[in-house]
Amino acid sequence: MDPQVFVIFGASGDLAKRKLLPAIYELYCSNLLPESFAVLGVSRTDYSDDAFRQEVFTDNEFIEDSKKQDFAQKLFYEPIDTLEAKDYPKVRQRLEKIDEQMGTSGNYVFYLSVPPRLYTEIPKYLAQEDLNKKEGSFRRLIIEKPFGYDMESAQSLNKSLQQHFDEDQIYRIDHYLGKETVQNLLVTRFANGIFEPLWNRNYIHHIEITSAEKIGVGDRGGYYDSSGALRDMVQNHLLQIVAHVAMEPPINADAGSIRSEKLKLFKALRPIAESEVEQYAIRGQYIGADIGGKHIKGYREEKGVGDDSMTETYVALKFFIDNWRWAGVPFYIRTGKHLPTKATEVVVYFKSPPHHLFRSNEEMMNMNNQLIMRIQPDEGLLLQFGMKVPGAGFNVKNVEMDFHYSDLTDAHVPEAYERLILDAMKGDATLYARGDSVEEAWRFVDPILNAWKNNPDIKLYGYPAGTWGPDVADNLIEGDRVSWRNPCRNLTDSRNFCEL
Ligand SMILES: NC(=O)C1=CN([C@@H]2O[C@H](COP(=O)(O)OP(=O)(O)OC[C@H]3O[C@@H](n4cnc5c(N)ncnc54)[C@H](OP(=O)(O)O)[C@@H]3O)[C@@H](O)[C@H]2O)C=CC1
Ligand SMILES: O=C1O[C@H](COP(=O)(O)O)[C@@H](O)[C@H](O)[C@H]1O
């Protein structure tokens, strides 16, 4: 890999400390960083290089003593106010010095881990110092989420960034794309002869995607209250999962081919008209509850949240994809905070056989084959199908074949941020969102946001913390005997996994 400096704007912040610096350290321990490499932290807090190094090490148990000193020598810090153009020459001069000292050749990756209002400012000031482009060196810009607040703001952010950086220099983070199991959705579909032939409207009844979180908003209430579950999780992470599950096979596994197929898929999402939002979208907000002798605060009691907040902490949607493959197949997605467990999974429900031979068995008649792709935790694949119960007659029972990713390897499975940072350092944008796709995802989400904003009669359902969200979300799912899968239970194992 080419020598380079990884510049973190917002190096004193939460994300840098909890995710970015630990990820870079892991890459260092795995010998994946180039020999000539440095990190330059930039934010207002007045650290010296040494104080920054101390800060990185003190809070983070991840630092192993043996490697710590070597790694620390690669960390530098420059305090500036990123809103002040006059501070940027300091960044340029510091980078030139690091190049001399560390041999980093003028190659820079800028990571914006700062409040979103700075996303347009920092690139502009970097360009004023000619830090955006240089003949013979590379300059890249990584942008954290949220990428825009709606379609219009996303378009204007794209336009602003593209004034100073070319699209192929811009890396829009969606950390779900860095998850091994999200990438594995593509491998499951396109590396196996058995799944892809069935992967269409002829054999699939419906698809369900759940991303449940056990935690509430914690101390991020200030940010979350102006966002809500639809912007925070659906517009980005869940729609990316939908794209992996539903897109057409790309002609190649390269960035351009995969990202173009995703764009086509996003374009095919049938928008939910504002007038239909009540029918196709359920929003909820957690209310206080006692769980296991402990009181869990309601959302409106969280720090930074107004006591009349209408922000949704839960959302469930039903929608369709208007293309040849998926015509008529309902997709259901849901996400929420303070649900019974943390689990992200995709459930593919196959159609029943056309004729029921074994009518005597109620259980089997009511069951579709299901393929459950567990994104997290306990990453893996679970297939449910019917088998004959030994003995007289044809009694059929549903059984499961269960693959756990942990059985595949003892090797270190990289954290999402490790993978994404490494890819940006190598110049591989495959696992980053492209500007046009982000705008298309907003196009799908905008009418729902508008309906909620413009129509106060659309209900915001309260749900007690620790439950599966508003009961009415069950009514979204079509069909008599079908409901959301409970990720806490498997068919052949009566344990409640949420209680473990
Ligand atoms: N934390 C998380 O888990 C996640 C965060 N994100 C995104 O990452 C970004 C950073 O989030 P997070 O780390 O939580 O936020 P924090 O508030 O913890 O950190 C913000 C950082 O920006 C710096 N900053 C703020 N204003 C200025 C300024 N005018 N000049 C220079 N530096 C400034 C702060 O440093 P200082 O005060 O020293 O200037 C601090 O280092 C946000 O866009 C967020 O949406 C995305 C996903 C998850
Ligand atoms: O981006 C975000 O994601 C996290 C959930 O991420 P996960 O990897 O733990 O599934 C979510 O808690 C947060 O609100 C959101 O901003």
Side-chain angles (χ1 to χ4, degrees):
M1 200 195 310
D2 293 323
Q4 56 194 282
V5 186
F6 196 85
V7 186
I8 304 178
F9 284 90
S12 63
D14 174 71
L15 184 71
K17 263 194 213 158
R18 277 194 313 109
K19 297 283 184 187
L20 308 184
L21 289 157
I24 296 170
Y25 179 69
E26 275 300 335
L27 293 173
Y28 174 71
C29 292
S30 309
N31 294 319
L32 290 169
L33 296 181
E35 188 58 33
S36 296
F37 175 79
V39 172
L40 175 64
V42 182
S43 32
R44 289 169 305 187
T45 304
D46 194 15
Y47 295 135
S48 61
D49 287 347
D50 275 344
F52 178 55
R53 291 167 184 171
Q54 282 302 325
E55 193 60 29
V56 171
F57 291 140
T58 43
D59 296 356
N60 285 312
E61 288 167 19
F62 71 93
I63 302 284
E64 278 171 38
D65 273 345
S66 55
K67 296 264 182 185
K68 171 167 139 177
Q69 291 308 325
D70 288 348
F71 182 64
Q73 297 317 306
K74 296 182 182 293
L75 303 179
F76 302 89
Y77 186 85
E78 187 65 41
I80 71 158
D81 186 338
T82 34
L83 283 172
E84 294 286 347
K86 67 173 174 42
D87 280 6
Y88 281 77
K90 286 203 263 177
V91 177
R92 184 176 42 74
Q93 287 153 12
R94 194 66 199 276
L95 283 168
E96 287 165 1
K97 220 164 136 194
I98 292 173
D99 282 340
E100 275 172 32
Q101 192 181 335
M102 307 293 286
T104 38
S105 306
N107 294 322
Y108 310 142
V109 178
F110 300 105
Y111 195 116
L112 305 195
S113 177
V114 290
R117 67 177 185 284
L118 301 181
Y119 292 170
T120 48
E121 304 303 302
I122 295 174
K124 181 174 74 191
Y125 294 133
L126 289 174
Q128 276 174 21
E129 286 303 313
D130 288 333
L131 284 167
N132 55 336
K133 290 177 189 175
K134 190 182 172 210
E135 195 64 36
S137 303
F138 65 74
R139 304 286 157 90
R140 297 177 190 135
L141 184 69
I142 308 182
I143 308 280
E144 252 305 334
K145 65 167 285 216
F147 196 92
Y149 187 75
D150 51 20
M151 174 139 162
E152 201 185 327
S153 57
Q155 281 171 332
S156 109
L157 178 54
N158 271 331
K159 225 181 249 165
S160 164
L161 295 174
Q162 285 159 359
Q163 277 173 17
H164 311 297
F165 287 81
D166 298 334
E167 176 60 29
D168 64 6
Q169 294 178 279
I170 303 172
Y171 293 69
R172 296 168 194 79
I173 280 254
D174 184 317
H175 79 275
Y176 267 55
L177 292 177
K179 291 182 192 281
E180 281 289 326
T181 40
V182 173
Q183 295 158 38
N184 191 47
L185 293 171
L186 296 184
V187 176
T188 304
R189 287 186 58 196
F190 301 133
N192 293 295
I194 54 171
F195 296 122
E196 191 52 23
L198 306 181
W199 216 258
N200 58 54
R201 68 187 184 289
N202 296 323
Y203 300 100
I204 291 180
H205 184 269
H206 69 275
I207 291 184
E208 179 190 310
I209 299 173
T210 291
S211 185
E213 289 191 89
K214 199 167 183 171
I215 54 166
V217 295
D219 52 13
R220 293 175 72 219
Y223 148 76
Y224 194 88
D225 206 39
S226 61
S227 170
L230 193 61
R231 287 189 177 94
D232 188 50
M233 291 293 291
V234 175
Q235 185 275 338
N236 36 60
H237 308 323
L238 289 193
L239 288 185
Q240 286 293 342
I241 295 179
V242 170
H244 281 218
V245 170
M247 72 191 222
E248 292 302 313
I251 51 167
N252 262 315
D254 59 40
S257 312
I258 292 180
R259 300 200 308 174
S260 294
E261 289 306 334
K262 282 198 211 172
L263 176 66
K264 267 167 59 189
L265 192 277
F266 289 140
K267 280 179 188 267
L269 293 176
R270 186 192 302 170
I272 299 172
E274 277 189 53
S275 57
E276 290 175 335
V277 162
E278 210 161 3
Q279 194 186 339
Y280 287 100
I282 301 295
R283 58 174 170 166
Q285 189 185 75
Y286 60 82
I287 51 181
D290 292 321
I291 303 175
K294 203 173 144 211
H295 180 70
I296 306 291
K297 275 194 269 185
Y299 177 68
R300 291 179 183 179
E301 299 164 70
E302 301 278 14
K303 199 170 122 218
V305 176
D307 55 13
D308 56 354
S309 169
M310 290 293 284
T311 300
E312 79 288 354
T313 59
Y314 172 97
V315 62
L317 302 180
K318 171 183 177 180
F319 63 92
F320 292 91
I321 296 174
D322 284 334
N323 65 14
W324 198 271
R325 183 185 289 264
W326 295 115
V329 177
F331 280 70
Y332 303 95
I333 57 184
R334 63 174 171 169
T335 182
K337 301 246 182 230
H338 267 323
L339 301 187
T341 192
K342 179 165 180 71
T344 302
E345 64 177 31
V346 176
V347 188
V348 179
Y349 289 80
F350 291 92
K351 288 183 174 170
S352 309
H355 176 60
H356 291 291
L357 277 179
F358 312 111
R359 287 180 190 282
S360 58
N361 191 290
E362 254 312 288
E363 180 194 9
M364 198 54 209
M365 279 175 69
N366 295 346
M367 280 288 180
N368 301 48
N369 293 134
Q370 295 177 22
L371 177 69
I372 295 133
M373 296 182 267
R374 289 187 302 261
I375 308 285
Q376 63 183 21
D378 188 16
E379 295 79 358
L381 212 76
L382 178 72
L383 183 65
Q384 297 184 346
F385 51 95
M387 283 283 115
K388 181 181 179 303
V389 178
F394 281 102
N395 282 329
V396 183
K397 185 176 171 45
N398 255 295
V399 296
E400 292 168 335
M401 259 163 51
D402 199 356
F403 163 72
H404 299 264
Y405 235 73
S406 52
D407 296 340
L408 187 64
T409 171
D410 289 335
H412 166 71
V413 178
E415 275 283 309
Y417 274 99
E418 273 173 68
R419 175 65 200 269
L420 292 172
I421 287 173
L422 184 66
D423 281 4
M425 288 172 56
K426 288 181 179 162
D428 180 353
T430 313
L431 301 180
Y432 285 84
R434 207 166 64 188
D436 46 9
S437 277
V438 174
E439 289 178 18
E440 279 302 319
W442 279 116
R443 183 188 60 82
F444 175 70
V445 160
D446 266 7
I448 308 170
L449 291 169
N450 289 338
W452 287 346
K453 190 170 84 186
N454 299 334
N455 189 346
D457 292 339
I458 297 181
K459 286 203 179 68
L460 170 71
Y461 296 93
Y463 62 94
T467 65
W468 279 108
D471 291 342
V472 299
D474 291 343
N475 304 339
L476 277 182
I477 305 227
E478 265 175 33
D480 291 346
R481 293 174 290 245
V482 196
S483 60
W484 298 96
R485 192 185 106 86
N486 181 350
C488 298
R489 289 187 192 284
N490 281 358
L491 272 179
T492 49
D493 189 333
S494 58
R495 284 177 299 167
N496 179 342
F497 293 105
C498 297
E499 283 167 5
L500 294 179

